[in-house]
Amino acid sequence: HLDWSTIVPLSELDFKDREQYDYAPASTPDAVDSYKRVLTVLGEIAAEYCAPRSENVDLSGASFHGGKVTYATGTSESLKLLAQSDLMGMTLPRKYGGLNFPAVVFTMAQEIIARSDASLQNLFGLQGVAEIIHAFASEELQDKYLPLFCQGKVTGAMALTEPEAGSDLQNVKLKATQGEDGTWYIHGVKRFITNGNADILLVLARSDFDEEGGLGLSLFLCEGKDGVTVRRIEDKLGIHGSPTCELQFDRVPARLIGERKRGLVTYVLALLNGARIGTAAQSIGIAQAALQEARVFASTRLQYGRRIDTIPAVAEMLTEMQVQIAAARALTYEASVIMDRTAGTARKLISLQQDTSQTDPATVKAIKKEAKKYERLVLLLTPLAKYFSTEMSNRVTSDAIQVLG
């Protein structure tokens, strides 16, 4: 029930891809039909394949032996099937093998996966790493890595957190030094890195030591096989299928993403917007799965000669759970739509600026104003959606436990 007439043209840039790809949509209804079909396929995979494996995934978890991380069997099987179904490059352009879907559709996809297996959503949601490469890296890096992400041949990780720099990323100490030949090398430790065993890592490191705080930080891309050592995986209370790693970097060669000193203030901020929405979608999926379990139980459990979902206190609890989930979903989808409008407006502005002969200065000025408005809204809504949805998920899952006694 979203306003697709404003979302789709921005995502499809007035359907220009139709000239090169016969499977690209030719209109907004055509695009929306494609979204529904893909989400239906994803829903079938999640329900029939991923969900039956999720319990064993969480019981066995990812393992760590001899410095090597191994996914749970169910995790590897699910990732393989998602890749075979061409679902690992949902928001990337078609020229790399992606689906070029809007962020809001990817948010829906993450919620669906989270309902079936919360751990799997952590890994599926890290497609955001590829989005940052697409948005800010050189064409050389895009051409090299983005097709691999779309094919599901590589996984990604965001290496941001350190022992003394969790949420306070301005205090990142990991060093990036440049050799005489211009190659960058990374030294130091990162901690609590989701999927730290990934093939491709985006690493926030201090490249300019004379600059304090966030101004001295840059973003780098490195490959796990080039000397990144997993020191251990964390022992967590849940989501065991997603390995959370401590990483050691010993002179690991890396490539600079974008420009120096913009790692935190530009690139990581964009990365975190997507990550916050992913966490919100995961929270909603977990809560929806918990509500479903509670409903099934309450409709079959008999006490005092009646189903417990007919007892007013239990019925009210189930209704309140549903209302909270609906509110979180509405907020999160709206935040995703604003992300789409932000990205789409930026692309439209670039396109207009490249063709100055056909561009009215007043039009460019109006679009710039619109772009700034959406940027401010993204900064407001993405953390709000994450906060509201995660708090909601904790309440709903706790209430679900109470319904089950």
Side-chain angles (χ1 to χ4, degrees):
H1 305 286
L2 300 171
D3 183 8
W4 294 110
S5 64
T6 60
I7 301 168
V8 175
L10 286 173
S11 177
E12 291 295 337
L13 278 180
D14 297 324
F15 308 100
K16 291 180 180 177
D17 269 9
R18 187 70 178 183
E19 300 169 6
Q20 283 184 273
Y21 309 96
D22 56 6
Y23 57 88
S27 64
T28 294
D30 192 14
V32 175
D33 180 67
S34 177
Y35 303 157
K36 288 182 177 180
R37 289 174 184 272
V38 170
L39 289 174
T40 299
V41 170
L42 181 70
E44 290 170 353
I45 291 172
E48 298 170 13
Y49 197 87
C50 305
R53 289 163 169 75
S54 63
E55 184 175 357
N56 281 335
V57 164
D58 205 58
L59 290 173
S60 60
S63 59
F64 181 64
H65 299 290
K68 181 176 174 58
V69 177
T70 304
Y71 292 134
T73 301
T75 302
S76 297
E77 292 172 346
S78 294
L79 286 173
K80 182 178 180 181
L81 182 57
L82 290 169
Q84 290 172 341
S85 304
D86 294 327
L87 295 168
M88 296 305 288
M90 293 194 73
T91 60
L92 293 176
R94 293 182 181 90
K95 75 173 187 174
Y96 300 114
L99 297 177
N100 198 55
F101 280 5
V104 68
V105 179
F106 183 45
T107 299
M108 296 174 185
Q110 292 185 83
E111 180 188 333
I112 290 169
I113 292 294
R115 283 181 67 177
S116 67
D117 184 340
S119 298
L120 182 62
Q121 188 279 334
N122 270 5
L123 310 180
F124 180 76
L126 279 166
Q127 294 183 36
V129 168
E131 291 179 27
I132 295 300
I133 295 172
H134 174 237
F136 302 113
S138 65
E139 284 194 27
E140 176 198 350
L141 293 179
Q142 292 183 54
D143 292 343
K144 180 177 180 180
Y145 292 110
L146 296 185
L148 299 177
F149 275 101
C150 291
Q151 295 162 21
K153 291 183 177 180
V154 297
T155 58
M158 304 178 292
L160 308 180
T161 309
E162 296 179 10
E164 302 302 324
S167 300
D168 184 12
L169 291 176
Q170 294 187 84
N171 279 327
V172 161
K173 298 290 191 286
L174 189 82
K175 294 181 179 180
T177 56
Q178 198 168 20
E180 292 181 1
D181 62 352
T183 302
W184 286 94
Y185 297 95
I186 297 178
H187 326 256
V189 175
K190 290 287 186 181
R191 194 173 185 188
F192 300 132
I193 306 305
T194 299
N195 200 41
N197 57 301
D199 305 289
I200 309 299
L201 297 97
L202 293 184
V203 185
L204 185 64
R206 189 162 296 280
S207 58
D208 293 80
F209 305 101
D210 55 342
E211 296 274 7
E212 294 184 359
L215 292 177
L217 300 174
S218 299
L219 188 65
F220 298 89
L221 181 153
C222 66
E223 297 190 26
K225 65 179 177 59
D226 287 341
V228 181
T229 302
V230 179
R231 292 172 32 162
R232 63 177 177 137
I233 60 175
E234 303 294 339
D235 184 16
K236 301 179 296 187
L237 291 175
I239 317 188
H240 298 118
S242 168
T244 303
C245 307
E246 183 172 299
L247 305 178
Q248 175 74 45
F249 295 82
D250 293 309
R251 197 171 164 74
V252 175
R255 301 289 297 273
L256 180 68
I257 298 288
E259 300 175 18
R260 285 175 68 162
K261 299 165 55 171
R262 293 182 62 189
L264 179 60
V265 294
T266 302
Y267 311 136
V268 170
L269 188 61
L271 189 65
L272 289 178
N273 284 333
R276 287 166 178 154
I277 293 299
T279 303
Q282 182 186 46
S283 302
I284 296 165
I286 290 170
Q288 185 69 53
L291 172 61
Q292 191 69 15
E293 293 290 337
R295 276 177 171 164
V296 170
F297 182 85
S299 67
T300 55
R301 172 70 168 165
L302 299 177
Q303 290 284 274
Y304 311 108
R306 60 198 288 196
R307 299 192 333 250
I308 66 170
D309 63 354
T310 64
I311 297 173
V314 177
E316 182 179 357
M317 186 180 291
L318 291 168
T319 301
E320 180 62 23
M321 291 161 70
Q322 183 174 356
V323 169
Q324 290 184 46
I325 292 170
R329 183 178 288 121
L331 176 59
T332 300
Y333 285 12
E334 181 63 18
S336 300
V337 168
I338 295 299
M339 285 181 63
D340 280 320
R341 288 182 175 172
T342 303
T345 304
R347 285 195 296 268
K348 189 174 182 180
L349 187 60
I350 291 170
S351 178
L352 287 173
Q353 289 173 333
Q354 287 174 344
D355 188 9
T356 54
S357 62
Q358 304 293 323
T359 304
D360 175 23
T363 301
V364 172
K365 184 177 179 181
I367 293 176
K368 281 183 177 179
K369 184 178 179 181
E370 189 177 26
K372 287 182 179 179
K373 179 186 75 172
Y374 288 136
E375 285 172 7
R376 288 194 295 269
L377 281 172
V378 165
L379 291 175
L380 169 68
L381 291 178
T382 55
L384 188 61
K386 178 189 175 185
Y387 167 76
F388 186 83
S389 299
T390 52
E391 293 295 316
M392 173 280 298
S393 192
N394 275 294
R395 289 193 300 271
V396 166
T397 49
S398 179
D399 286 347
I401 291 171
Q402 305 312 314
V403 172
L404 270 67

